[in-house]
Each structure stands twice: as structure tokens, then as C-alpha cells.
Amino acid sequence: MFQSGDGTELTAKPKRSFYAARDLYKYRHQYPQNFKDLRYQNDLCNLRFYKNKIPFKPDGVYIEEVLNKWKGDYEKLEHNHTYIQWLFPLREQGLNFYAKELTTYEIEEFKKTKEAIRRFLLAYKMMLEFFGIKLIDKTGNVARAANWQERFQHLNESQHNYLRITRILKSLGELGYESFKSPLVKFILHEALVEDTIPNIKQSALEYFVYTIRDRRERRKLLRFAQQHYTPSDHFIWGPPRKQKSEGSKTNKKPASPISIHNSYISKHKKPKEPKNTSASGSSAGKTTEERKVELTKNREENDQDEQEVNCDAVRQNNSEKNSDTDTSQLSKSEEINDTSDRKEDSSHSKNDDENLNNDCGDHPDTIEKDLCDTENSSNNTSADLQDSLDKDTLSGGTTTKNKDELKS
């Protein structure tokens, strides 16, 4: 934060973290590249800990003691940094090297063990209370706890707890509680952006918490909510750029280039193709070589004449650009073509999965710039395609159904 010349405080525009994007991409995609999943070689120590059979290391404390004696002891929960890896295990190594990584087999067994699941939910409730939040139902909805004011103030000032929240969200998804993540993230975004009770957490919430959610639609809902309430609005850098409405985009469009106007004018005067393929194909077989020559010559002359007429019309149109009525009609035709290209581009973009790191909805820092470049080039590509199509029709002279032997003869 710094001050401008008139004394008002300005905030620097935030930057995306490529490390965060890469880390959460691997998590959402089940660690696709490298992951050495020791499926049957691990001794199920995370599950055994939650079954109260072994203590967590290096402290030597059992899960029952943590849930009963550490609950409400905020000093211990704040300053001890070895328990969190055991309470919320992941398929990646944490800071406590005594804690073992989860395996897919262990996850399957953990979900089947009611005793472990019950204690896991109690551990989640304990940590929520530590942050000033309470779990209010079985679907994962949360609300302010009785001690929220004191705990929110502490949470706003202790940023190392943001790493703990990220770990908790990841672990919820690994152990069968993916649906609990979205309500918690929505609550944190509301408190940070709307209520302004924990403003320091908003960067971590948008950079990490949102992107732990594997459901793309849920992520987009959260990003839209955050974009509505983020201030200053032009500093919001997460997710795709806001799309303009169709009417607004038409009024704000730049004047079409002379090339696109020329192409739209040609397409306007272009003769529609006659549905003569069926009859022509049947009669052409009985025609002699001389008849085909005469017909081919006649078609070429007609197309040459059409091309000359189109060129003359285009010249006259360019000479009359100062006429406002003509300009308006040509611009509207160009806008229709640009709108068609926009719709084609939107449909092609919607087919791509955002789960690719470079195409994810805001996962990669360069995504927004690439989308803008693609949109900018789409109208030029459409104009080029129309011109190529016109050239092919003119050169073929309506004889595209005839084969090369007929042309040679």
C-alpha cells in the first residue's frame, strides 16, 4: 500500500502465483505426472493413528488425547506445528517428515472405517472452532462461532494459518468430504470481501482455497461471487475476463476494416447455389464431350461476368464511403459476420476443459492474455475464410462436381 500525490491510499495490483497454480492443478488431477503411490508398501499409519492405535510423531500423542485435551487450547494449537500433518493427511509430503503420505489404498480403507471418519470430523470441528467458525449441519455449512470476533482478529494476523486451511481443504477432498469445501470457502470469501472481518485472507482465499475445489462449476460460482465484491474491481485477476452482453458488445465494437466491409459486400451479392446436383449428375453422364465443353465455357463466361460486376460494385461502394446510409448498412453486415465468428469462438472455447493448467479458468497467469489475443484474431480469421471460399467458388465456375478428366477434355 502506498499514497498517491493527492494523499489517497492506493493498493498494488496483486499478482498470480505460478507455484500455487501448479500445486493445485496436480492436486485436482490426482497427482497425474510423477506420483509414486506406494499402494501396498505403506503400513497404513494414518489410518492406524485415527483408529487410536499409534500416536503421532514426534510428540507421541494419541488422537483421543488431541480431540479431548487439545480442544479449546488455542495456544497449543497455534504453536505446535507437527500435529496438523497427522490430523489432515495428504498424498504429498509436509513439513513433518515423521508423517507419512496417504496412498490410494489407505484412502479406500479410511473411508470404510467409521471410527476413523468420526474422529476425522471431530478434528475438523476442532480446527474450525480454533478459527472462529462452527459446523452447523451434515452438508458442510458453516457459520460464525461464539468466539468469532477474537478468533477472526487472530486469524487476520496469523497468516501461517492460511497454509493450514489449504491443507484442511485438500484433506477433506481426499477423504470423502469434497462437498464440505465450497461452503467453507464461500464463508471465508464473504467475511473477507463483504464483512471485511478478515481482509488479509482474501489473497490466499482466491489464490489457494478456491482452487482446491475440483468441481469446475463450483469454482466459477465462487469466483463470480468474489468478483462482484472485490475492491478495487479492476484489480481482480482470477478467473476468465468478464464477458460483455451481446447488445453492449455490438455498440462498443470498433468500426469494421475495409477488408471485412468488402467481403461482406461480396457475400451480399453472391448468387445462391442452385440445388441442381441431383439432376445434373444424372444428365451429365449422357452428355457428349462437345456438350460438356460448351457448358464449361458458358459457365466460365457467366462467372467472369459476375466477378466483374462484383468488382465494379465494390469500387463504387468504396468511392461512396462518405455516404452515411451506405456506411451504416455495410457496418451492420460486418457486425453480423463478426458476431457469427464470436459465437463460433465461444462454442469452441466451451468444449475445452479448464482442467488443463494452461487453459484452466484463471489457473495460469497468462490465461487471460491468451483469451484476449484469440478473441482479437478471430474476426481476421473469419474474413480470410470468407475470402478463400469466394475465390474457390469463382475459380471453379460452378463446376466443382465435375472431375478432373472432364476438365482436361
Side-chain angles (χ1 to χ4, degrees):
M1 182 176 294
F2 55 91
Q3 287 188 342
S4 63
D6 58 358
T8 58
E9 291 186 347
L10 300 176
T11 56
K13 189 172 183 178
K15 296 181 180 180
R16 295 300 312 273
S17 167
F18 180 73
Y19 169 81
R22 182 180 59 183
D23 174 69
L24 295 166
Y25 173 85
K26 290 193 296 184
Y27 165 76
R28 290 196 309 274
H29 291 267
Q30 309 290 340
Y31 305 95
Q33 298 172 341
N34 62 351
F35 233 76
K36 49 173 203 243
D37 186 5
L38 307 177
R39 186 174 175 87
Y40 297 106
Q41 299 178 20
N42 151 316
D43 60 356
L44 303 181
C45 59
N46 295 292
L47 178 57
R48 291 165 62 209
F49 167 69
Y50 262 103
K51 292 173 73 172
N52 207 43
K53 292 185 176 180
I54 61 170
F56 79 82
K57 299 178 181 179
D59 297 63
V61 180
Y62 286 83
I63 181 64
E64 278 298 315
E65 182 178 349
V66 173
L67 296 176
N68 293 323
K69 296 184 178 180
W70 289 30
K71 182 180 178 181
D73 190 344
Y74 299 146
E75 287 296 319
K76 182 168 287 187
L77 293 174
E78 173 67 26
H79 296 293
N80 187 300
H81 299 285
T82 56
Y83 70 93
I84 197 73
Q85 292 85 6
W86 288 86
L87 288 186
F88 302 98
L90 299 176
R91 282 187 281 169
E92 56 188 79
Q93 185 62 54
L95 295 177
N96 183 355
F97 290 98
Y98 291 99
K100 301 294 183 180
E101 302 168 13
L102 273 175
T103 66
T104 54
Y105 176 70
E106 189 172 23
I107 291 172
E108 294 167 4
E109 294 299 314
F110 199 105
K111 292 177 181 179
K112 297 175 185 176
T113 309
K114 293 182 179 180
E115 181 184 7
I117 290 296
R118 179 183 64 82
R119 290 189 175 118
F120 178 73
L121 289 177
L122 289 175
Y124 179 54
K125 290 179 181 179
M126 180 184 73
M127 293 307 299
L128 286 180
E129 183 183 318
F130 171 68
F131 299 134
I133 306 170
K134 64 179 179 180
L135 185 67
I136 59 177
D137 58 32
K138 295 181 179 181
T139 63
N141 290 318
V142 294
R144 290 176 176 178
N147 60 345
W148 70 270
Q149 289 180 315
E150 171 196 348
R151 300 314 303 166
F152 279 12
Q153 182 178 355
H154 174 77
L155 183 61
N156 194 52
E157 298 170 354
S158 58
Q159 297 187 11
H160 72 92
N161 280 308
Y162 305 163
L163 298 174
R164 290 178 170 180
I165 294 175
T166 301
R167 185 180 189 91
I168 291 170
L169 289 166
K170 286 182 176 182
S171 189
L172 285 171
E174 296 285 34
L175 297 177
Y177 288 91
E178 179 72 24
S179 62
F180 277 36
K181 291 154 71 170
S182 185
L184 177 59
V185 176
K186 177 72 175 290
F187 174 83
I188 292 173
L189 287 173
H190 180 82
E191 293 292 340
L193 299 176
V194 180
E195 301 296 336
D196 201 33
T197 51
I198 40 177
N200 292 340
I201 205 174
K202 65 181 179 181
Q203 176 81 11
S204 293
L206 289 165
E207 197 74 22
Y208 288 89
F209 303 169
V210 170
Y211 289 102
T212 64
I213 297 172
R214 292 186 169 118
D215 189 333
R216 179 184 179 187
R217 290 171 297 180
E218 288 298 319
R219 289 202 308 274
R220 285 189 170 185
K221 288 180 184 178
L222 293 170
L223 288 173
R224 290 192 194 103
F225 172 81
Q227 190 173 26
Q228 291 173 358
H229 300 284
Y230 194 91
T231 55
S233 59
D234 58 331
H235 283 193
F236 189 85
I237 58 173
W238 298 271
R242 183 181 297 174
K243 293 183 179 180
Q244 295 179 341
K245 294 182 179 179
S246 58
E247 295 180 358
S249 62
K250 287 184 179 180
T251 57
N252 295 330
K253 279 184 182 291
K254 297 181 180 179
S257 64
I259 296 176
S260 61
I261 293 177
H262 176 70
N263 291 336
S264 65
Y265 191 82
I266 291 175
S267 63
K268 177 182 177 182
H269 293 280
K270 186 177 177 182
K271 293 183 178 180
K273 293 183 180 179
E274 297 180 0
K276 61 180 181 179
N277 291 339
T278 306
S279 61
S281 61
S283 61
S284 62
K287 290 183 179 179
T288 63
T289 304
E290 293 298 327
E291 290 175 345
R292 286 198 294 270
K293 284 183 179 180
V294 171
E295 185 180 352
L296 180 60
T297 304
K298 187 182 294 184
N299 288 334
R300 285 179 177 173
E301 291 175 355
E302 289 177 358
N303 285 318
D304 290 340
Q305 186 176 0
D306 291 343
E307 184 179 1
Q308 290 176 1
E309 291 176 0
V310 170
N311 290 335
C312 291
D313 290 341
V315 170
R316 285 196 298 270
Q317 184 268 333
N318 287 332
N319 291 333
S320 61
E321 284 181 349
K322 295 182 180 180
N323 188 307
S324 61
D325 295 335
T326 305
D327 286 346
T328 304
S329 64
Q330 300 306 324
L331 286 173
S332 64
K333 289 293 180 181
S334 174
E335 287 172 356
E336 290 177 5
I337 292 177
N338 288 335
D339 291 341
T340 304
S341 67
D342 289 341
R343 288 194 295 270
K344 289 180 180 180
E345 184 190 7
D346 288 341
S347 64
S348 64
H349 280 305
S350 65
K351 292 178 182 178
N352 295 329
D353 194 274
D354 97 44
E355 300 306 338
N356 186 298
L357 175 60
N358 294 326
N359 294 326
D360 196 359
C361 177
D363 279 3
H364 195 281
D366 298 330
T367 302
I368 297 176
E369 295 179 6
K370 289 175 67 179
D371 288 345
L372 292 175
C373 291
D374 292 341
T375 306
E376 212 171 309
N377 293 332
S378 64
S379 60
N380 294 334
N381 292 338
T382 305
S383 299
D385 291 342
L386 290 172
Q387 185 63 47
D388 291 343
S389 176
L390 176 65
D391 293 343
K392 290 178 181 178
D393 290 341
T394 303
L395 290 174
S396 64
T399 61
T400 55
T401 59
K402 301 182 183 297
N403 57 33
K404 293 183 179 179
D405 293 339
E406 291 175 338
L407 292 174
K408 288 181 181 179
S409 63

